[in-house]
Amino acid sequence: MKSLISLLRGDRGVGMVTALSVSFVVTSLAVTWYAIGVHELDEVAFDANRTGAINMAEAGAREAMYLLANDQTFRDDALLADGANTGITAGVCQLTPVDSRVNGTPRQIGEYWYRATKVDPADPVDLRYLIESWGWAPAHDRRQSSAKKIEFEIELQPYGGGFYHALFASGGGLTAGNRKEIYGDAYSGQNVSINNISRIYANDGGYPGDGNLDIYGDLEIGGGSNVDIEGYVKVNGYIQDDKVGTVYRKDAIVLHDNLVSPYVNTWFRNATVNQTLFAAAPASDVTGTVAAGTEVYDATGIAPVPDVGLPSFTWDATEYSPAGTVWATWADFDAWYDANDNDLKGAHYVQDTGSYVLDLGGSYLTGHFVLAFDGNVTVKRTPSGSSQPGGGPAQIVLAGLQTTSDVVLAQSSDSIEGVVHHLIVTRGNFGAANQSTIYGAIYGYGDISSNRLEVHFRPPVEETVVGFEFDPSLADQFRPEPGVWRETAPSVDSVGLKKPTTGYWCNLP
């Protein structure tokens, strides 16, 4: 038997001890690196989810913006105490899932819920809305879920259904041998000839329109004219201003690009441009006397006035509620009108190509009234009032469908501000035969007014403009103006979405 000392001095068993020691160290390192790796992966996942949650919240906000711009019901709901939202059922939020595809397989990457409220529900002119939107990634009930909230204000550009101007003339142009007073913007697809008092002002009552005048052709101002244009004047062709003392309150933009013009330069008898005179030509091509705050010649980069056509109209009785009625003759329609002028509403299409006198004197609107026609119409007098369901003004829409469909305003055919408004759109001409004041908009081929016409632009009620189709190039104009969103505390717990003060809007699913 070996002594204890010899055993202690031997090296048998050392390999086992060393192996166990190395295994312990390796295992410890592996566990440590695994913990670090899991932690890093969690951090990466959390970072990705935080970014994803912001993206989800922004997706919800963009959807709310779209609905505010395009859905009248959504805008109406935004006036309510709880605003318009993606929905609440039995106190539970209806979250909207967002899926992506990984190798062809759908996979949820997030959810959102949003709410839109009008900043000042009591002010019909204030069109600011507060959008609040919550986002979760990858889902609200996942272990590594992240919740984010953004909010921002947008201001809608309140043009109804694609109508942007108080007065619009396409190929026939605007003439002002009579007195005109326009509150809002005006457009002419041909020349504008002014030979009497004509005023274009910024719109009243806070409604849109800065008093701008866009002219596809030339601007001609006679020597006896009194002209006051509050907004800018943009002319594709030339200005021939024979009036001493014309004042252009903002910019005068003369692009010298009208191929059918009889003029070869711009001429002012003695005018003042309060802001900048832009001329896309040498200074020598602008003659006469003009004083401007700034003069810019050979100006480049200024977009010309577009050649915008009239909106087309397609009659579809099923687009209206209740469904519209078709009348073969004016006599048939007149019999209905005489029996119902004290309860005037609904949509009607008269196929008769003859003439009709629409006497609105004493009529009473109990809803919106749409009259489409193939003939021509003379409008007389003013309705007595309206009781449009849901409040707001009742809308009279006159839609002339043929190039011969003229609309003439006679015998003080007026609107009633805030009670009865007009939308007149005709492929023929329009004009005032007697002094008329319209709240709404007038669109036509050309102006044949022989008397004073005063127009205050009021955006049409969108449910009355079904059937109108607009130039596709205008589709992206006058949408909501987005602000810069800000991130705020999401106020989300296991119960649901908290209000800023107390209580909850809804619980999470």
Side-chain angles (χ1 to χ4, degrees):
M1 175 184 288
K2 293 184 177 180
S3 66
L4 179 61
I5 292 177
S6 64
L7 288 172
L8 289 172
R9 288 177 175 174
D11 58 2
R12 286 187 300 174
V14 171
M16 179 65 71
V17 173
T18 303
L20 289 173
S21 299
V22 171
S23 296
F24 176 77
V25 171
V26 171
T27 301
S28 298
L29 290 173
V31 170
T32 301
W33 283 112
Y34 175 78
I36 293 173
V38 169
H39 177 74
E40 290 298 320
L41 288 173
D42 279 347
E43 282 298 309
V44 170
F46 278 122
D47 285 344
N49 289 341
R50 282 192 287 266
T51 302
I54 283 287
N55 291 337
M56 293 301 102
E58 187 170 4
R62 297 299 170 183
E63 180 176 309
M65 285 178 60
Y66 173 82
L67 291 173
L68 284 171
N70 295 281
D71 190 322
Q72 182 68 48
T73 300
F74 190 82
R75 287 196 294 274
D76 292 342
D77 289 343
L79 293 171
L80 304 177
D82 285 332
N85 52 58
T86 49
I88 304 173
T89 301
V92 176
C93 306
Q94 295 173 314
L95 306 185
T96 300
V98 179
D99 293 337
S100 183
R101 285 189 171 270
V102 178
N103 296 325
T105 302
R107 185 178 72 182
Q108 182 171 312
I109 60 174
E111 299 169 311
Y112 61 76
W113 191 88
Y114 57 76
R115 178 176 184 265
T117 50
K118 198 165 186 292
V119 172
D120 187 354
D123 186 350
V125 176
D126 187 346
L127 295 180
R128 292 174 300 146
Y129 292 81
L130 173 66
I131 295 176
E132 302 164 277
S133 183
W134 290 258
W136 294 265
H140 73 283
D141 54 359
R142 295 280 289 274
R143 181 181 69 85
Q144 295 178 325
S145 175
S146 180
K148 294 288 186 179
K149 178 188 176 186
I150 66 172
E151 60 182 30
F152 61 96
E153 290 182 6
I154 66 166
E155 184 173 7
L156 290 184
Q157 299 302 300
Y159 298 107
F163 292 97
Y164 318 129
H165 299 87
L167 198 63
F168 179 102
S170 58
L174 290 173
T175 59
N178 62 313
R179 178 173 179 172
K180 274 191 175 56
E181 204 162 289
I182 301 167
Y183 294 84
D185 297 331
Y187 173 91
S188 175
Q190 200 32 266
N191 299 338
V192 172
S193 298
I194 299 175
N195 294 298
N196 204 331
I197 298 173
S198 290
R199 310 288 171 84
I200 304 177
Y201 296 134
N203 207 357
D204 50 352
Y207 287 96
D210 297 321
N212 299 326
L213 175 59
D214 286 296
I215 306 173
Y216 189 71
D218 301 324
L219 172 61
E220 304 166 336
I221 300 176
S225 307
N226 290 309
V227 180
D228 191 345
I229 302 173
E230 188 168 350
Y232 70 73
V233 177
K234 181 187 280 191
V235 181
N236 274 8
Y238 305 88
I239 292 178
Q240 293 289 303
D241 185 348
D242 197 37
K243 170 66 177 176
V244 174
T246 300
V247 176
Y248 300 83
R249 295 203 202 179
K250 291 187 178 177
D251 295 337
I253 305 166
V254 193
L255 299 181
H256 291 190
D257 188 23
N258 184 357
L259 298 180
V260 299
S261 175
Y263 308 112
V264 295
N265 64 4
T266 284
W267 182 77
F268 299 94
R269 180 174 290 277
N270 190 344
T272 299
V273 178
N274 283 348
Q275 294 188 4
T276 302
L277 170 62
F278 292 94
S284 58
D285 283 356
V286 178
T287 60
T289 303
V290 58
T294 305
E295 297 181 18
V296 178
Y297 296 97
D298 296 315
T300 58
I302 300 177
V305 176
D307 184 10
V308 182
L310 285 166
S312 60
F313 181 85
T314 302
W315 170 263
D316 183 349
T318 62
E319 288 287 326
Y320 301 94
S321 180
T325 304
V326 176
W327 305 93
T329 67
W330 281 118
D332 294 338
F333 170 78
D334 189 58
W336 173 88
Y337 182 81
D338 284 345
N340 293 276
D341 63 351
N342 62 346
D343 183 19
L344 195 56
K345 62 185 176 183
H348 307 266
Y349 172 32
V350 182
Q351 297 174 324
D352 195 329
T353 58
S355 300
Y356 182 71
V357 176
L358 178 65
D359 189 348
L360 293 170
S363 66
Y364 188 84
L365 279 80
T366 55
H368 301 307
F369 173 62
V370 179
L371 177 60
F373 48 91
D374 289 334
N376 54 77
V377 170
T378 297
V379 185
K380 292 173 54 177
R381 301 194 294 175
T382 302
S384 61
S386 77
S387 57
Q388 210 280 117
Q395 187 92 46
I396 295 176
V397 179
L398 302 178
L401 306 188
Q402 308 300 324
T403 57
T404 54
S405 297
D406 293 346
V407 177
V408 176
L409 304 173
Q411 294 187 21
S412 299
S413 178
D414 298 329
S415 304
I416 308 173
E417 164 71 317
V419 179
V420 179
H421 293 175
H422 286 76
L423 172 62
I424 299 172
V425 185
T426 179
R427 293 184 64 202
N429 295 313
F430 62 83
N434 292 91
Q435 179 174 320
S436 297
T437 301
I438 296 296
Y439 287 86
I442 302 179
Y443 278 55
Y445 177 77
D447 176 17
I448 55 172
S449 297
S450 59
N451 211 317
R452 176 178 175 176
L453 176 60
E454 182 177 327
V455 184
H456 300 251
F457 179 60
R458 297 293 182 264
V461 179
E462 291 199 32
E463 56 261 40
T464 66
V465 300
V466 294
F468 288 105
E469 295 291 336
F470 294 85
D471 187 333
S473 68
L474 303 177
D476 294 329
Q477 296 187 33
F478 308 112
R479 293 295 86 193
E481 292 186 351
V484 178
W485 57 260
R486 54 192 176 269
E487 183 179 350
T488 61
S491 299
V492 175
D493 60 17
S494 60
V495 178
L497 302 174
K498 288 185 178 181
K499 288 185 178 180
T501 52
T502 59
Y504 298 89
W505 281 315
C506 58
N507 298 327
L508 299 179

